[in-house]
Amino acid sequence: MSASMAEGGQSVDDWFLGAEEAAEHVVAWARAADLTLVPKTIADVLSKRSDPFVEDLFQEFLGALGMEL
């Protein structure tokens, strides 16, 4: 995706929030939903790269929100 965007003169940062800013939004949402969370963990998960699949990160993200599947 980033290579395709670069061809058009854009970057991923033009379309998506960075990990820290996204984590702030997630924390606000989770608090409004009365979830117990760990904000630093959320930012850490959002900063990780999937290797190679995103499912493990998604599980980790839900855990940081205080949600379990």
Side-chain angles (χ1 to χ4, degrees), residues 37-48:
L37 56 124
V38 182
K40 177 65 174 149
T41 303
I42 292 169
D44 289 344
V45 172
L46 292 175
S47 297
K48 291 181 181 181

Side-chain angles (χ1 to χ4, degrees), residues 2-67:
S2 59
S4 176
M5 293 176 83
E7 289 176 9
Q10 297 180 326
S11 74
V12 173
D13 294 334
D14 294 331
W15 287 84
F16 300 100
L17 299 174
E20 294 293 328
E21 191 175 357
E24 291 175 16
H25 287 272
V26 169
V27 167
W29 173 86
R31 285 191 178 135
D34 291 325
L35 296 172
T36 303
L37 56 124
V38 182
K40 177 65 174 149
T41 303
I42 292 169
D44 289 344
V45 172
L46 292 175
S47 297
K48 291 181 181 181
R49 294 184 60 91
S50 59
D51 185 28
F53 304 107
V54 73
E55 287 82 0
D56 292 336
L57 288 179
F58 184 65
Q59 292 287 335
E60 197 174 334
F61 179 73
L62 292 179
L65 288 174
M67 302 171 72

